[in-house]
Amino acid sequence: MKMKKMMLFLGLFAAMIDLSNAQPVQGTTPRKIISGENQFFMRPQWSPDGTKIAFTAEKNQGIWISNAKGNKLTQITDDSEAGFGFSWSADSKSILARPVVQMDDQRFHQVKTYNIESGEDRIIVENTRKLQSLPVWSNHDASIAFLMNNAVETRNSGKTQVKSASKDTPKAMALGNALKTTAGSETIEFDQFKDRYIFNVKTSPNGQKMVFQVNGLGLFACNADGTELKSLGHSEQASWMPDNRYIVTTKVADNGVAITAAELMLIDTESGSEFPLLSDADYIALNPSVSPDGAKLVFENVKDGAIYLMPLK
Protein backbone atom coordinates (compact mmCIF):
# COMPACT_ATOMS: atom_id res chain seq x y z
CA MET A 1 0.00 0.00 0.00
CA LYS A 2 2.81 2.38 0.89
CA MET A 3 4.48 1.56 -2.41
CA LYS A 4 1.27 2.39 -4.34
CA LYS A 5 0.93 5.72 -2.52
CA MET A 6 4.55 6.51 -3.27
CA MET A 7 4.07 5.69 -6.96
CA LEU A 8 0.92 7.82 -7.08
CA PHE A 9 2.78 10.72 -5.46
CA LEU A 10 5.67 10.42 -7.93
CA GLY A 11 3.20 10.31 -10.82
CA LEU A 12 1.45 13.46 -9.63
CA PHE A 13 4.80 15.17 -9.07
CA ALA A 14 5.93 14.26 -12.60
CA ALA A 15 2.66 15.61 -14.00
CA MET A 16 3.22 18.89 -12.14
CA ILE A 17 6.71 19.16 -13.64
CA ASP A 18 5.34 18.47 -17.13
CA LEU A 19 2.61 21.07 -16.61
CA SER A 20 5.09 23.70 -15.49
CA ASN A 21 7.14 23.10 -18.64
CA ALA A 22 4.15 22.98 -20.96
CA GLN A 23 3.91 25.57 -23.71
CA PRO A 24 1.45 28.21 -22.41
CA VAL A 25 0.51 29.53 -25.86
CA GLN A 26 0.47 27.90 -29.28
CA GLY A 27 0.09 29.42 -32.71
CA THR A 28 -2.29 28.26 -35.43
CA THR A 29 -2.11 28.59 -39.21
CA PRO A 30 -1.26 32.18 -40.28
CA ARG A 31 -3.56 34.02 -42.67
CA LYS A 32 -2.51 36.77 -45.10
CA ILE A 33 -4.50 39.92 -44.30
CA ILE A 34 -2.60 42.83 -45.86
CA SER A 35 -0.86 42.89 -49.23
CA GLY A 36 -0.60 45.18 -52.20
CA GLU A 37 0.45 45.05 -55.82
CA ASN A 38 4.06 46.22 -56.14
CA GLN A 39 4.09 46.94 -52.38
CA PHE A 40 6.23 45.41 -49.65
CA PHE A 41 4.55 45.96 -46.28
CA MET A 42 6.35 45.56 -42.96
CA ARG A 43 6.54 46.42 -39.22
CA PRO A 44 2.88 45.89 -38.23
CA GLN A 45 1.82 47.22 -34.82
CA TRP A 46 -1.52 46.73 -33.05
CA SER A 47 -3.22 49.82 -31.66
CA PRO A 48 -3.68 49.76 -27.85
CA ASP A 49 -7.44 49.26 -28.23
CA GLY A 50 -6.92 46.31 -30.59
CA THR A 51 -9.11 47.73 -33.37
CA LYS A 52 -6.42 48.85 -35.82
CA ILE A 53 -3.05 47.86 -37.25
CA ALA A 54 -0.40 50.36 -38.33
CA PHE A 55 2.40 49.35 -40.70
CA THR A 56 4.91 50.74 -43.15
CA ALA A 57 6.31 49.91 -46.57
CA GLU A 58 9.73 49.01 -47.93
CA LYS A 59 12.55 51.22 -46.62
CA ASN A 60 10.13 52.36 -43.89
CA GLN A 61 8.46 54.68 -46.37
CA GLY A 62 5.22 56.15 -44.99
CA ILE A 63 2.66 54.75 -42.55
CA TRP A 64 -0.62 52.97 -43.29
CA ILE A 65 -3.58 52.05 -41.07
CA SER A 66 -6.04 49.17 -41.43
CA ASN A 67 -8.77 47.75 -39.26
CA ALA A 68 -8.10 44.61 -37.18
CA LYS A 69 -9.05 42.39 -40.13
CA GLY A 70 -6.58 44.07 -42.48
CA ASN A 71 -9.30 45.92 -44.41
CA LYS A 72 -9.92 49.62 -45.12
CA LEU A 73 -6.30 50.58 -45.74
CA THR A 74 -5.51 54.27 -45.34
CA GLN A 75 -2.11 55.90 -45.82
CA ILE A 76 -1.70 58.60 -43.19
CA THR A 77 1.69 59.83 -44.37
CA ASP A 78 4.27 59.29 -47.11
CA ASP A 79 7.08 60.80 -45.02
CA SER A 80 10.44 59.17 -45.61
CA GLU A 81 11.41 56.57 -42.96
CA ALA A 82 8.43 57.50 -40.77
CA GLY A 83 7.76 53.77 -40.45
CA PHE A 84 10.92 53.07 -38.45
CA GLY A 85 10.21 52.89 -34.71
CA PHE A 86 6.79 54.57 -34.79
CA SER A 87 4.49 54.18 -31.76
CA TRP A 88 0.78 54.46 -30.99
CA SER A 89 -0.70 56.89 -28.48
CA ALA A 90 -2.60 55.32 -25.57
CA ASP A 91 -5.96 56.44 -27.00
CA SER A 92 -5.21 54.79 -30.37
CA LYS A 93 -5.85 58.08 -32.18
CA SER A 94 -2.33 59.26 -32.98
CA ILE A 95 1.03 57.90 -34.08
CA LEU A 96 4.43 59.26 -33.11
CA ALA A 97 7.31 58.94 -35.57
CA ARG A 98 10.78 60.18 -36.51
CA PRO A 99 10.76 60.83 -40.28
CA VAL A 100 13.81 61.80 -42.30
CA VAL A 101 14.17 64.96 -44.38
CA GLN A 102 16.84 65.12 -47.10
CA MET A 103 18.25 68.59 -47.77
CA ASP A 104 21.36 69.49 -49.76
CA ASP A 105 22.73 65.95 -49.52
CA GLN A 106 22.26 65.93 -45.74
CA ARG A 107 19.86 63.90 -43.62
CA PHE A 108 17.81 65.59 -40.93
CA HIS A 109 15.35 64.09 -38.46
CA GLN A 110 12.01 65.44 -37.42
CA VAL A 111 9.73 64.38 -34.59
CA LYS A 112 6.09 64.34 -35.71
CA THR A 113 2.69 63.12 -34.60
CA TYR A 114 -0.02 62.02 -37.02
CA ASN A 115 -3.71 62.19 -36.13
CA ILE A 116 -5.26 59.16 -37.84
CA GLU A 117 -8.80 60.56 -37.57
CA SER A 118 -8.28 64.07 -38.95
CA GLY A 119 -5.25 63.29 -41.13
CA GLU A 120 -3.38 66.24 -39.62
CA ASP A 121 0.27 66.05 -38.61
CA ARG A 122 2.13 68.12 -36.03
CA ILE A 123 5.87 68.84 -36.05
CA ILE A 124 7.22 68.46 -32.52
CA VAL A 125 10.91 68.94 -33.41
CA GLU A 126 12.02 70.71 -36.59
CA ASN A 127 14.84 69.45 -38.82
CA THR A 128 17.77 68.44 -36.62
CA ARG A 129 20.91 66.33 -36.71
CA LYS A 130 21.18 66.14 -32.92
CA LEU A 131 18.45 63.63 -32.14
CA GLN A 132 19.92 60.61 -30.33
CA SER A 133 16.90 58.36 -29.89
CA LEU A 134 13.50 57.41 -31.12
CA PRO A 135 10.89 59.69 -29.49
CA VAL A 136 8.45 58.24 -26.95
CA TRP A 137 5.10 59.27 -25.50
CA SER A 138 5.32 60.63 -21.95
CA ASN A 139 3.17 62.23 -19.23
CA HIS A 140 0.06 60.27 -20.23
CA ASP A 141 0.71 61.25 -23.88
CA ALA A 142 0.61 64.98 -23.14
CA SER A 143 4.36 65.16 -23.81
CA ILE A 144 6.92 63.75 -26.23
CA ALA A 145 10.32 62.77 -24.82
CA PHE A 146 13.56 62.19 -26.73
CA LEU A 147 17.32 62.31 -26.22
CA MET A 148 19.40 65.27 -27.35
CA ASN A 149 22.85 66.27 -26.10
CA ASN A 150 22.86 63.15 -23.87
CA ALA A 151 19.86 64.45 -21.94
CA VAL A 152 16.13 63.82 -21.91
CA GLU A 153 14.13 66.66 -23.45
CA THR A 154 10.36 66.96 -23.65
CA ARG A 155 7.91 68.89 -25.80
CA ASN A 156 4.15 69.38 -25.66
CA SER A 157 2.45 66.75 -27.84
CA GLY A 158 -0.67 68.86 -28.43
CA LYS A 159 -2.81 66.10 -26.90
CA THR A 160 -4.62 66.23 -23.59
CA GLN A 161 -3.57 63.73 -20.96
CA VAL A 162 -5.09 60.31 -21.55
CA LYS A 163 -6.99 59.50 -18.36
CA SER A 164 -6.06 56.09 -17.02
CA ALA A 165 -6.46 54.15 -13.79
CA SER A 166 -2.78 53.24 -13.94
CA LYS A 167 0.11 55.56 -13.28
CA ASP A 168 2.15 56.99 -16.13
CA THR A 169 4.80 54.36 -16.94
CA PRO A 170 8.31 55.78 -17.48
CA LYS A 171 9.70 54.98 -20.92
CA ALA A 172 13.31 53.98 -21.58
CA MET A 173 15.43 55.21 -24.47
CA ALA A 174 18.76 53.70 -25.50
CA LEU A 175 21.92 55.81 -25.36
CA GLY A 176 24.96 53.70 -26.19
CA ASN A 177 25.31 50.95 -23.58
CA ALA A 178 22.95 52.72 -21.17
CA LEU A 179 19.28 53.58 -20.91
CA LYS A 180 17.77 56.96 -20.13
CA THR A 181 14.25 57.05 -18.73
CA THR A 182 11.56 59.71 -18.84
CA ALA A 183 11.46 59.58 -15.02
CA GLY A 184 13.60 62.53 -13.98
CA SER A 185 16.31 61.81 -16.55
CA GLU A 186 17.30 58.66 -14.64
CA THR A 187 20.21 56.76 -16.21
CA ILE A 188 20.49 52.97 -16.10
CA GLU A 189 24.05 51.92 -16.85
CA PHE A 190 25.27 48.45 -17.85
CA ASP A 191 29.04 48.19 -17.46
CA GLN A 192 29.01 44.69 -18.93
CA PHE A 193 27.96 46.16 -22.28
CA LYS A 194 31.02 48.37 -22.65
CA ASP A 195 31.75 49.15 -26.30
CA ARG A 196 28.31 47.81 -27.25
CA TYR A 197 25.02 49.56 -27.91
CA ILE A 198 21.44 48.85 -26.84
CA PHE A 199 18.44 49.01 -29.20
CA ASN A 200 14.85 47.79 -29.62
CA VAL A 201 13.86 48.60 -26.03
CA LYS A 202 10.37 47.30 -25.13
CA THR A 203 8.68 47.96 -21.77
CA SER A 204 6.18 45.43 -20.41
CA PRO A 205 2.50 46.49 -20.29
CA ASN A 206 2.64 47.05 -16.50
CA GLY A 207 5.91 48.98 -16.77
CA GLN A 208 7.78 46.69 -14.39
CA LYS A 209 10.09 44.95 -16.88
CA MET A 210 11.81 45.61 -20.15
CA VAL A 211 13.57 43.68 -22.87
CA PHE A 212 16.17 44.98 -25.29
CA GLN A 213 18.82 43.88 -27.74
CA VAL A 214 22.57 44.42 -27.49
CA ASN A 215 24.58 44.34 -30.70
CA GLY A 216 26.43 41.04 -31.03
CA LEU A 217 25.11 39.69 -27.72
CA GLY A 218 21.41 39.10 -28.32
CA LEU A 219 18.28 39.71 -26.27
CA PHE A 220 18.15 40.64 -22.57
CA ALA A 221 15.46 41.17 -19.95
CA CYS A 222 15.58 43.09 -16.67
CA ASN A 223 13.45 44.96 -14.19
CA ALA A 224 12.49 48.52 -15.06
CA ASP A 225 15.32 49.79 -12.84
CA GLY A 226 17.92 47.64 -14.60
CA THR A 227 18.22 44.98 -11.88
CA GLU A 228 18.02 41.20 -12.40
CA LEU A 229 19.51 41.36 -15.88
CA LYS A 230 19.37 38.05 -17.76
CA SER A 231 20.22 36.85 -21.24
CA LEU A 232 17.40 35.45 -23.41
CA GLY A 233 19.55 34.17 -26.26
CA HIS A 234 19.80 35.48 -29.79
CA SER A 235 16.18 36.20 -30.60
CA GLU A 236 15.11 39.72 -31.56
CA GLN A 237 12.20 42.12 -32.17
CA ALA A 238 10.32 41.29 -28.96
CA SER A 239 6.61 41.94 -28.40
CA TRP A 240 5.12 41.51 -24.92
CA MET A 241 2.22 39.25 -24.09
CA PRO A 242 -0.37 40.95 -21.80
CA ASP A 243 0.68 38.74 -18.85
CA ASN A 244 3.93 40.76 -18.50
CA ARG A 245 5.95 37.52 -18.44
CA TYR A 246 6.14 36.08 -21.93
CA ILE A 247 7.36 37.71 -25.13
CA VAL A 248 7.06 36.74 -28.77
CA THR A 249 10.27 37.12 -30.73
CA THR A 250 11.81 36.06 -34.02
CA LYS A 251 14.92 33.93 -34.38
CA VAL A 252 16.73 34.88 -37.58
CA ALA A 253 19.26 33.08 -39.77
CA ASP A 254 21.21 34.73 -42.58
CA ASN A 255 23.98 34.04 -45.07
CA GLY A 256 25.87 37.25 -44.40
CA VAL A 257 24.00 39.08 -47.15
CA ALA A 258 20.30 38.38 -46.70
CA ILE A 259 17.94 36.77 -44.19
CA THR A 260 17.41 33.12 -45.13
CA ALA A 261 15.02 31.99 -42.38
CA ALA A 262 13.15 33.33 -39.37
CA GLU A 263 10.91 31.51 -36.90
CA LEU A 264 8.60 32.93 -34.25
CA MET A 265 9.36 31.97 -30.66
CA LEU A 266 7.61 32.41 -27.32
CA ILE A 267 10.08 33.14 -24.49
CA ASP A 268 9.50 33.08 -20.75
CA THR A 269 11.39 36.14 -19.47
CA GLU A 270 11.60 34.59 -15.99
CA SER A 271 13.02 31.16 -16.82
CA GLY A 272 14.41 31.82 -20.30
CA SER A 273 12.50 28.81 -21.69
CA GLU A 274 11.72 28.96 -25.41
CA PHE A 275 8.69 27.55 -27.22
CA PRO A 276 8.27 27.51 -31.02
CA LEU A 277 5.22 29.31 -32.41
CA LEU A 278 5.91 29.22 -36.14
CA SER A 279 8.67 27.35 -37.92
CA ASP A 280 7.70 26.94 -41.56
CA ALA A 281 9.76 27.34 -44.72
CA ASP A 282 6.86 29.25 -46.30
CA TYR A 283 7.45 32.17 -43.91
CA ILE A 284 10.37 34.39 -43.00
CA ALA A 285 8.51 35.97 -40.09
CA LEU A 286 9.79 39.31 -38.76
CA ASN A 287 8.50 42.06 -36.48
CA PRO A 288 5.79 40.18 -34.55
CA SER A 289 3.19 42.28 -32.70
CA VAL A 290 0.90 40.67 -30.11
CA SER A 291 -2.65 42.00 -29.87
CA PRO A 292 -3.55 43.72 -26.55
CA ASP A 293 -5.72 40.77 -25.51
CA GLY A 294 -3.02 38.24 -26.37
CA ALA A 295 -5.37 36.27 -28.63
CA LYS A 296 -3.46 36.80 -31.88
CA LEU A 297 -0.41 38.37 -33.44
CA VAL A 298 0.59 39.93 -36.73
CA PHE A 299 3.94 39.73 -38.49
CA GLU A 300 5.57 40.56 -41.81
CA ASN A 301 6.58 37.79 -44.19
CA VAL A 302 9.76 38.69 -46.05
CA LYS A 303 9.00 36.08 -48.71
CA ASP A 304 6.03 37.96 -50.15
CA GLY A 305 6.03 41.39 -48.50
CA ALA A 306 2.65 40.82 -46.87
CA ILE A 307 1.28 41.09 -43.32
CA TYR A 308 -0.08 37.91 -41.74
CA LEU A 309 -2.34 37.31 -38.76
CA MET A 310 -1.84 34.23 -36.57
CA PRO A 311 -4.41 33.30 -33.88
CA LEU A 312 -2.97 32.11 -30.55
CA LYS A 313 -4.55 29.46 -28.36
Side-chain angles (χ1 to χ4, degrees):
M1 182 63 70
K2 288 183 178 180
M3 180 61 70
K4 288 184 178 180
K5 289 183 177 179
M6 178 62 72
M7 294 298 291
L8 179 61
F9 171 77
L10 291 175
L12 290 172
F13 182 71
M16 291 173 63
I17 292 176
D18 290 340
L19 183 62
S20 66
N21 290 328
Q23 182 168 340
V25 172
Q26 294 181 334
T28 60
T29 303
R31 177 170 55 90
K32 184 189 296 188
I33 61 169
I34 300 171
S35 62
E37 188 176 354
N38 300 320
Q39 285 280 19
F40 191 104
F41 291 129
M42 54 194 290
R43 300 187 186 276
Q45 289 290 328
W46 286 100
S47 62
D49 64 6
T51 65
K52 294 175 281 293
I53 301 169
F55 53 96
T56 185
E58 191 173 9
K59 298 182 180 179
N60 301 300
Q61 184 73 30
I63 298 174
W64 278 259
I65 305 291
S66 78
N67 62 18
K69 295 181 179 180
N71 301 324
K72 299 181 180 179
L73 272 62
T74 302
Q75 186 174 14
I76 63 169
T77 180
D78 190 40
D79 285 349
S80 177
E81 298 186 36
F84 179 78
F86 67 84
S87 59
W88 283 95
S89 60
D91 62 6
S92 300
K93 295 180 179 180
S94 301
I95 286 181
L96 171 64
R98 185 191 64 178
V100 167
V101 176
Q102 197 81 22
M103 295 179 60
D104 299 327
D105 296 325
Q106 292 190 7
R107 284 168 55 90
F108 295 87
H109 283 120
Q110 292 181 336
V111 175
K112 294 179 74 171
T113 59
Y114 303 90
N115 186 309
I116 67 171
E117 295 180 336
S118 68
E120 297 178 351
D121 59 56
R122 179 187 179 97
I123 297 178
I124 307 299
V125 177
E126 295 280 1
N127 297 354
T128 179
R129 294 173 61 85
K130 296 181 179 180
L131 206 60
Q132 295 173 288
S133 71
L134 290 168
V136 297
W137 296 98
S138 182
N139 188 26
H140 293 286
D141 289 1
S143 301
I144 304 298
F146 50 89
L147 292 176
M148 194 175 285
N149 299 318
N150 296 332
V152 177
E153 296 194 19
T154 60
R155 300 285 190 277
N156 188 336
S157 71
K159 295 176 67 70
T160 57
Q161 286 189 341
V162 177
K163 295 182 179 180
S164 172
S166 61
K167 65 179 182 179
D168 185 45
T169 302
K171 306 295 194 310
M173 295 167 284
L175 182 63
N177 67 339
L179 295 172
K180 290 274 192 178
T181 75
T182 54
S185 300
E186 177 185 355
T187 301
I188 302 172
E189 297 181 340
F190 298 96
D191 293 336
Q192 58 269 61
F193 299 147
K194 184 179 180 181
D195 300 325
R196 303 279 181 171
Y197 60 88
I198 294 171
F199 60 104
N200 281 351
V201 185
K202 301 291 180 64
T203 303
S204 62
N206 64 5
Q208 296 180 7
K209 299 178 182 179
M210 56 186 170
V211 293
F212 55 83
Q213 292 172 237
V214 180
N215 70 304
L217 298 180
L219 189 67
F220 290 81
C222 65
N223 292 332
D225 61 1
T227 58
E228 298 187 23
L229 179 71
K230 63 185 70 173
S231 172
L232 297 178
H234 284 274
S235 292
E236 54 190 75
Q237 302 168 356
S239 178
W240 282 95
M241 295 288 289
D243 61 7
N244 300 289
R245 174 171 176 171
Y246 290 90
I247 54 174
V248 176
T249 70
T250 182
K251 186 167 285 189
V252 175
D254 63 69
N255 58 12
V257 177
I259 296 174
T260 57
E263 58 181 328
L264 296 180
M265 305 293 294
L266 182 75
I267 299 180
D268 184 343
T269 61
E270 295 184 7
S271 69
S273 298
E274 295 184 349
F275 308 94
L277 284 179
L278 179 65
S279 181
D280 188 318
D282 289 336
Y283 307 95
I284 297 180
L286 300 183
N287 292 299
S289 176
V290 179
S291 62
D293 62 3
K296 49 192 173 293
L297 63 83
V298 287
F299 64 89
E300 69 177 82
N301 183 15
V302 174
K303 285 205 165 186
D304 61 4
I307 305 297
Y308 285 72
L309 183 146
M310 183 170 71
L312 301 175
K313 62 177 183 178

